[in-house]
Amino acid sequence: MMASPIILVLSALGLQTALQIKSALDGSTIYGLDTRVEGADESFENFGDTVRQLYQAGHPIIALCSAGIIIRSLASILENKGAEPPVLAVADDGSTVVPLLGGTTGVNILARQIATILNVPAAITTSGELRFGTCLLNPPPEFQLKNPGNAKKFIADMLAGKTVRIEGSAPWLADARLPLNDEGELLIRVTPDDVVAGENELVFQSTAQVDQTRPRGKLSVIGLGPGNPDFMVPAVKHALQQAQDILGYETYIRMAGTFRPNQTIHATDNREEMQRARHAFELAATGRSVVMVSSGDPGVFAMAAAVIEALHDSDNPAWHSVELEILPGVSAALAAASKSGAPLGHDFCIISLSDNLKPWEIIEKRISLAAEADFAFAFYNPISKPRPWQLPRAIELLRQHRNPDTPVVLGRDIGRPAETLRTIRLEDLTPEQVDMRTVIIVGSSLTRSFPKTDGGEWTYTPRWYGIKPDS
């Protein structure tokens, strides 16, 4: 088990960055130079002596200083590349994250984790990982690379154009960009057996018990809410903490927070829902704890439907034995509604204006019928560059059934730093006020607004309909 991470700080500016890293990096400790830094967890006098002691003790080192200072301090003791802990240099102001040592012990994973905390790119320079999207020297903890000495030549051969075939189950490589070929010159073999590797192969031995003693895998489909961690339900936070694998659209994974170096991230394009769902079951079927990330609520235009559909379509008993749970989240519509008051306080419907997965004719019909039935509306995916005409058409349909003074709530990036919220009238609604990150709430005939004492408006749809009950 790797020792706890140490954050070394040489300046007051660096301390602010270190505190930001520590707040999201479990188990980390800040060491500050005693003559320059106040407020660190521990103090040190000599940087060179301290960094060498920590390195030899196996601590991952995050040093807020120049890369040159670290390299000169560690140069005399650099021996066993396979045994070294991760070592990174981070700029005092948090603008740069540079992995230096520990390619076989997860330095690039840690670099990306810290870069996510600081909202900057990680300066990854490992050619094999950049090209193939994975580090073969750093498999998941339940697998051991039996012949790491062969890895350098193996990766060089792939970079030179040789193809590779895989024998055995290697789910962590599913998102990699390896040059796969069923008749490849190179071989990746995954096996529970202790075998001797051939000249052109890498052998990964499973260190966990399999078959009858394999633990039951778990797949949690979660909703992050609108973006603010305060809106995330505790069950979702717990699932993220326990997960071995996290899958999802890259933007949503970044919203989920930071992850430990031993958690595997599988980020994919937002349009690859079914592929992502099948990959999640493949991982969970091996006994792993897997989380599928959605923003908002996973059952509202998100991944829960794709995951259950993938299971329905599969006759693989291993998939059906996975423990599957759907954990709710605060949807964008509910978040915007709560910020504005209670515009969805009576019957309402939610409609996506995207026709990527359903015909526009169906969308028009639903808008017309729901407007005629006097539902309040929440519109998702209201407009995009390829779809500039659909929102104007939706507004036209609404105006056929709604008074021009009907309140309309426009909530953009609710729960995120760039949040904006305003209430306008239906007659003033134009497409220029809206983008794909805006949820539109259109009231029913009974929805009304009134001014807040501190600015803005409260908007609500009363619980009664037609005849107001006696108070």
Side-chain angles (χ1 to χ4, degrees):
M1 184 174 182
M2 189 171 289
S4 58
I6 303 297
I7 307 171
L8 291 171
V9 186
L10 303 181
S11 71
L13 175 60
L15 179 62
Q16 299 308 309
T17 304
L19 290 169
Q20 186 178 354
I21 296 171
K22 180 185 176 182
S23 68
L25 190 62
D26 291 344
S28 57
T29 303
I30 298 176
Y31 280 44
L33 184 62
D34 57 358
T35 57
R36 297 183 187 174
V37 179
E38 295 183 1
D41 301 316
E42 304 284 347
S43 295
F44 64 89
E45 296 180 2
N46 183 283
F47 178 83
D49 290 343
T50 302
V51 74
R52 284 188 288 272
Q53 291 170 4
L54 294 171
Y55 177 88
Q56 290 174 320
H59 289 277
I61 297 170
I62 304 149
L64 279 84
C65 63
S66 73
I69 294 174
I70 307 171
I71 294 299
R72 285 193 294 273
S73 298
L74 292 175
S76 63
I77 61 171
L78 298 180
E79 295 177 357
N80 187 345
K81 180 178 178 181
E84 65 191 6
V87 179
L88 304 93
V90 178
D92 272 356
D93 62 359
S95 60
T96 308
V97 179
V98 183
L100 298 175
L101 302 169
T104 64
T105 52
V107 69
N108 287 342
I109 296 173
L110 183 57
R112 289 191 175 96
Q113 182 180 3
I114 294 171
T116 300
I117 296 169
L118 300 175
N119 195 28
V120 298
I124 306 297
T125 58
T126 309
S127 58
E129 186 162 347
L130 290 172
R131 172 82 169 274
F132 304 122
T134 189
C135 179
L136 291 175
L137 290 166
N138 189 36
E142 64 271 27
F143 293 90
Q144 177 187 359
L145 177 57
K146 295 294 292 182
N147 56 325
N150 288 21
K152 182 176 180 179
K153 181 179 182 299
F154 191 96
I155 295 170
D157 286 343
M158 286 197 298
L159 290 170
K162 290 188 177 181
T163 58
V164 62
R165 65 190 191 278
I166 298 177
E167 291 182 1
S169 177
W172 78 93
L173 296 179
D175 290 329
R177 299 182 295 274
L178 299 177
L180 297 178
N181 187 313
D182 290 342
E183 298 181 359
E185 306 99 309
L186 306 175
L187 171 63
I188 293 176
R189 192 177 350 167
V190 185
T191 175
D193 302 322
D194 188 8
V195 300
V196 177
E199 181 180 355
N200 294 314
E201 69 176 273
L202 294 181
V203 173
F204 294 91
Q205 184 180 12
S206 170
T207 58
Q209 294 295 319
V210 294
D211 304 326
Q212 305 304 323
T213 59
R214 174 185 290 165
R216 184 186 182 191
K218 183 175 183 179
L219 173 55
S220 301
V221 187
I222 67 165
L224 299 175
N228 189 324
D230 291 341
F231 283 89
M232 193 185 301
V233 303
V236 167
K237 294 180 179 179
H238 179 74
L240 286 167
Q241 180 66 26
Q242 297 299 313
Q244 296 170 287
D245 296 271
I246 297 94
L247 291 84
Y249 176 40
E250 185 175 3
T251 299
Y252 300 154
I253 287 179
R254 287 199 300 267
M255 285 170 50
T258 57
F259 300 99
R260 302 185 305 275
N262 64 344
Q263 291 180 297
T264 304
I265 308 302
H266 308 268
T268 53
D269 185 90
N270 200 27
R271 294 166 292 183
E272 300 174 1
E273 290 189 354
M274 292 307 297
Q275 178 181 341
R276 190 186 309 145
R278 296 183 188 105
H279 184 197
F281 276 111
E282 289 172 0
L283 291 167
T286 67
R288 297 178 67 80
S289 178
V290 181
V291 160
M292 177 71 74
V293 176
S294 297
S295 69
D297 182 276
V300 179
F301 304 124
M303 283 303 301
V307 167
I308 295 177
E309 181 180 353
L311 182 62
H312 187 200
D313 291 344
S314 173
D315 58 2
N316 186 336
W319 287 22
H320 286 269
S321 69
V322 166
E323 180 185 352
L324 175 62
E325 64 176 2
I326 314 296
L327 299 179
V330 178
S331 70
L334 298 183
S338 67
K339 289 280 186 176
S340 63
L344 303 180
H346 208 298
D347 298 341
F348 69 93
C349 63
I350 298 177
I351 295 179
S352 169
L353 293 187
S354 171
D355 60 353
N356 289 336
L357 299 174
K358 63 180 181 290
W360 175 252
E361 293 76 13
I362 294 295
I363 298 174
E364 274 205 13
K365 183 176 181 180
R366 290 176 177 176
I367 294 172
S368 296
L369 292 175
E372 182 181 349
D374 202 20
F375 282 94
F377 285 85
F379 289 112
Y380 281 52
N381 306 312
I383 197 167
S384 67
K385 289 182 179 179
R387 299 186 292 104
W389 58 270
Q390 293 166 332
L391 178 57
R393 176 59 178 154
I395 295 172
E396 179 185 342
L397 293 171
L398 289 168
R399 287 174 177 165
Q400 295 174 10
H401 300 277
R402 291 288 188 279
N403 187 295
D405 289 332
T406 300
V408 175
V409 175
L410 303 179
R412 186 179 189 275
D413 280 345
I414 300 298
R416 305 182 195 178
E419 171 184 312
T420 61
L421 181 81
R422 57 181 174 149
T423 301
I424 62 174
R425 300 298 175 260
L426 180 58
E427 65 178 345
D428 299 321
L429 177 59
T430 64
E432 292 74 22
Q433 299 165 303
V434 175
D435 63 14
M436 275 291 286
R437 290 154 66 183
T438 305
V439 61
I440 304 173
I441 298 178
V442 180
S444 73
S445 64
L446 296 178
T447 304
R448 66 275 317 270
S449 297
F450 62 94
K452 296 181 181 179
T453 56
D454 57 351
E457 295 183 74
W458 287 117
T459 302
Y460 75 103
T461 302
R463 294 288 305 279
W464 50 267
Y465 200 91
I467 300 176
K468 185 174 182 178
D470 294 333
S471 58

